[in-house]
Amino acid sequence: MGKRSARRAASNQEAKVRALYPREGEWHPLNAHGGDNRDQAYRRKVKPMSAGQEALLQAIDTKNLVLALGPAGTGKTYLAIAKAVEALEAREVERIVLTRPAVEAGENLGFLPGGVESKLQPYLRPLYDALTDRLGNKRVKMALGEGLIEIAPVGFMRGRTLNNAFVVIDEAQNCTYGQIKMLITRLGWSSTMVLTGDPDQSDLLPGVSGLGEIAHRLAALEDIGVVELEDADIVRHPLVASMLTVI
């Protein structure tokens, strides 16, 4: 290989390294402020990356019922589950209950094979992913087997009272007004409940989602936290924030 070819190969390799490991001060998906690029998955406590996220975490710490509204990528679900894990490990609650509506995102998946758990798994997969990111796959499986963590669809929540629990209701924009009313009245003693969702991204027919109206009504109550996250709070790839301003 000639000197010119060797220099070109070295330059290409350096470009690949720069792409994989941004220089200090450049944006990085694991650390929006640059510098420390260590994997944050197993840190005991999460830190807010924006003013909106800080307001959300403060609301969860001080209110028993919190509604987190905002666009995709603002960390609503991740922060709620992270706080749930913290509460469980600190023995502030006896269990975590996670639920989300089984609504298809504009597609008809047809009949899925297997029992109830197998049929619901695709809808509940994002909750498993968030839990695994905080606890690791082995600990999640142990907690599920011991009943410390329960993941269920919205339809399975009727008639229950959730005491000593941290409850996260994800994708609440895909719930009707009646469903959300049913869910928030499940709140029991020594429990915290967090609803997350984006009223502008519902997969239901127009006017069917109840999240926006519920949030508007509950905002008048001092004991309930309603936190509205904005595009500036998005912590995914910068293109996500850019796209949401035009689509």
Side-chain angles (χ1 to χ4, degrees):
M1 181 183 296
K3 292 184 179 180
R4 183 177 299 177
S5 299
R7 285 197 300 270
R8 184 181 298 119
S11 178
N12 291 338
Q13 183 64 25
E14 183 181 355
K16 292 179 181 179
V17 171
R18 284 201 303 269
L20 289 172
Y21 303 98
R23 288 172 291 187
E24 186 173 354
E26 293 182 358
W27 182 89
H28 190 277
L30 294 180
N31 185 359
H33 301 293
D36 182 7
N37 290 334
R38 293 175 300 171
D39 190 353
Q40 301 181 22
Y42 297 101
R43 293 185 179 178
R44 296 185 69 85
K45 292 187 177 182
V46 294
K47 295 182 180 180
M49 305 293 286
S50 67
Q53 290 190 355
E54 185 174 2
L56 174 57
L57 292 178
Q58 184 176 1
I60 294 175
D61 287 336
T62 57
K63 310 287 186 181
N64 292 111
L65 178 59
V66 177
L67 284 76
L69 283 63
T74 50
K76 305 181 299 296
T77 301
Y78 187 87
L79 291 177
I81 291 181
K83 295 298 290 184
V85 170
E86 287 181 17
L88 182 65
E89 292 188 330
R91 298 186 178 180
E92 297 172 359
V93 296
E94 294 179 355
R95 56 182 170 150
I96 296 174
V97 179
L98 309 177
T99 184
R100 74 193 318 246
V103 176
E104 297 164 357
E107 299 180 68
N108 185 359
L109 300 180
F111 294 98
L112 297 174
V116 174
E117 292 184 0
S118 299
K119 293 178 186 296
L120 293 173
Q121 188 172 5
Y123 300 101
L124 304 178
R125 186 73 234 180
L127 300 179
Y128 284 101
D129 292 341
L131 277 174
T132 301
D133 197 33
R134 296 305 303 166
L135 291 172
N137 191 49
K138 182 180 293 185
R139 291 184 64 192
V140 169
K141 287 183 177 179
M142 290 177 58
L144 288 169
E146 295 172 0
L148 298 176
I149 298 177
E150 176 186 350
I151 303 179
V154 168
F156 287 20
M157 303 298 289
R158 187 175 298 278
R160 303 181 62 183
T161 300
L162 302 172
N163 296 317
N164 301 309
F166 196 114
V167 186
V168 178
I169 302 168
D170 189 36
E171 297 289 341
Q173 78 274 6
N174 287 332
C175 293
T176 65
Y177 186 95
Q179 286 176 321
I180 296 180
K181 183 177 179 180
M182 178 271 292
L183 288 167
I184 61 177
T185 54
R186 302 305 96 201
L187 184 66
W189 295 103
S190 303
S191 292
T192 296
M193 180 179 290
V194 181
L195 284 79
T196 69
D198 180 3
D200 296 327
Q201 213 172 33
S202 175
D203 297 312
L204 302 177
L205 294 174
V208 176
S209 174
L211 180 60
E213 185 177 355
I214 287 280
H216 177 72
R217 296 192 178 195
L218 294 181
L221 302 179
E222 294 183 0
D223 295 334
I224 295 177
V226 178
V227 180
E228 296 188 16
L229 301 168
E230 301 177 351
D231 294 346
D233 300 306
I234 292 176
V235 293
R236 287 184 184 168
H237 194 285
L239 282 178
V240 176
S242 300
M243 288 187 293
L244 288 176
T245 63
V246 296
I247 60 174

